Amino acid sequence: MTSVPIVRRVLGDGPFAEIGEPALAVIDDRSRMVAVGGDLGAVQWNGTGTADSRWTGHRIGVYERDALRWRHLVRSWYPVRSLAFHPVLPLLAVGTGRYGGGYSFEGELLLIHLDSGNVVSALQHPREVLSVEWRSETALRLVLAPCDDWENPHAHEQGHTAVVTRADWGAVEQRAIGAEELAAPAEPAVQPDHSAETRRLLADLAAAAGQQWSVRRRVWAVEGMEDGRVLAALDGVLAESWLPSGDRQWAVEDEEGGRQLVLASDGTSVWANAERRSRRKGRH
């Protein structure tokens, strides 16, 4: 019996498409690799018109620097805060996390093995990891957000700095770093936004490889036309038209993007079903 493939998502073509909206990127000159953290979007529709809250769009992609070929793609429950290649081992440390919206800060320290693609979540308890930095082959400096903001109005501007040492970071197992190793006083911590410089870096890397880069996220609908053109709707684009040559003819950009396309009977226009998320307005 032949298995029928299941398509879970379709992404727009181009370099770094797998990570969606980029937030952070680092280059490792030793291995000639690039690591990028990004977000495809926080909601996945399950085909019945309802959202699947179990799905997350946060991604870490690892690429070859010269040809920008994809090597690894890792899903994260939390936004990417920091990336650092190990100075010797084929290992990438990733700090992730966010404020949970109640009173706690949650996240992970991920160790991605670049030779196998295996991923280790190294912290015993969830903590938002604001920064990761290799101080040596054995020492990893972490800056962690406070556990919560209970009775601490300054928690969102603070961090706890700890240096964790291991003789062999490639042998670290799941949940191996306990709270006692992370104990440190709270200090002011800067949380910069790297998205603008990351966009410039990805555009420069793509240009050096003879390609063009722009944010290309999930494709929701594709329609073929009799003259060979292809219409598509995707995140950030209500509808766009592609010529048989592979060149994009036109695009109608939109904050959210299109979800469905219906061609008019005259073949000269198209209806686009757009997503509009409700936004709660705060009281001022």
Side-chain angles (χ1 to χ4, degrees):
M1 180 177 178
T2 303
S3 299
V4 178
I6 299 175
V7 178
R8 297 191 179 276
R9 68 185 58 86
V10 178
L11 302 175
D13 190 19
F16 310 114
E18 296 85 0
I19 53 87
E21 187 76 37
L24 182 67
V26 294
I27 298 174
D28 183 34
D29 292 330
R30 181 185 61 85
S31 65
R32 304 291 295 176
M33 289 188 181
V34 181
V36 188
D39 188 4
L40 284 173
V43 176
Q44 171 68 51
W45 300 99
N46 59 19
T48 63
T50 60
D52 185 351
S53 61
R54 297 170 298 176
W55 189 89
T56 173
H58 307 301
R59 295 288 187 273
I60 304 106
V62 180
Y63 303 84
E64 297 176 7
R65 176 174 179 174
D66 298 325
L68 304 185
R69 283 191 292 266
W70 167 83
R71 293 288 297 275
H72 302 290
L73 185 65
V74 175
R75 179 182 299 181
S76 170
W77 285 108
Y78 307 98
V80 177
R81 299 301 187 202
S82 185
L83 300 162
F85 285 96
H86 191 277
V88 175
L89 299 174
L91 192 70
L92 177 70
V94 183
T96 73
R98 66 184 170 205
Y99 179 63
Y103 66 93
S104 62
F105 299 84
E106 298 179 337
E108 295 180 285
L109 169 63
L110 301 178
L111 300 175
I112 303 176
H113 292 256
L114 302 177
D115 50 356
S116 64
N118 293 335
V119 181
V120 172
S121 181
L123 301 186
Q124 187 177 7
H125 304 290
R127 289 286 300 274
E128 181 178 11
V129 182
L130 302 173
S131 175
V132 293
E133 178 187 359
W134 294 103
R135 288 298 183 88
S136 69
E137 298 178 19
T138 59
L140 177 62
R141 178 183 181 270
L142 304 174
V143 179
L144 303 105
C147 294
D148 56 61
D149 62 357
W150 179 254
E151 297 183 345
N152 182 5
H154 305 292
H156 294 261
E157 292 81 38
Q158 292 180 338
H160 302 263
T161 301
V163 178
V164 181
T165 59
R166 290 290 187 276
D168 181 6
W169 278 93
V172 173
E173 298 180 349
Q174 301 280 355
R175 317 297 177 193
I177 301 176
E180 65 281 358
E181 293 188 81
L182 306 176
E187 300 174 341
V190 179
Q191 302 178 37
D193 183 355
H194 297 284
S195 56
E197 63 186 81
T198 299
R199 282 173 166 263
R200 289 193 294 268
L201 175 61
L202 299 190
D204 291 344
L205 289 171
Q211 304 181 55
Q212 290 185 338
W213 174 81
S214 62
V215 177
R216 302 285 292 170
R217 297 185 290 269
R218 295 166 295 177
V219 178
W220 293 91
V222 176
E223 294 287 344
M225 301 185 68
E226 292 183 358
D227 60 7
R229 288 182 296 162
V230 175
L231 302 180
L234 62 155
D235 287 348
V237 176
L238 280 176
E240 62 184 16
S241 173
W242 290 82
L243 298 172
S245 63
D247 297 321
R248 189 165 70 165
Q249 182 184 23
W250 54 260
V252 179
E253 297 183 352
D254 179 74
E255 182 179 359
E256 299 292 346
R259 295 297 178 262
Q260 293 175 304
L261 295 174
V262 177
L263 289 171
S265 58
D266 59 8
T268 62
S269 57
V270 60
W271 290 90
N273 179 16
E275 177 181 0
R276 289 293 178 263
R277 303 178 189 176
S278 61
R279 291 177 172 83
R280 296 181 181 179
K281 295 184 178 180
R283 301 176 66 180
H284 301 282

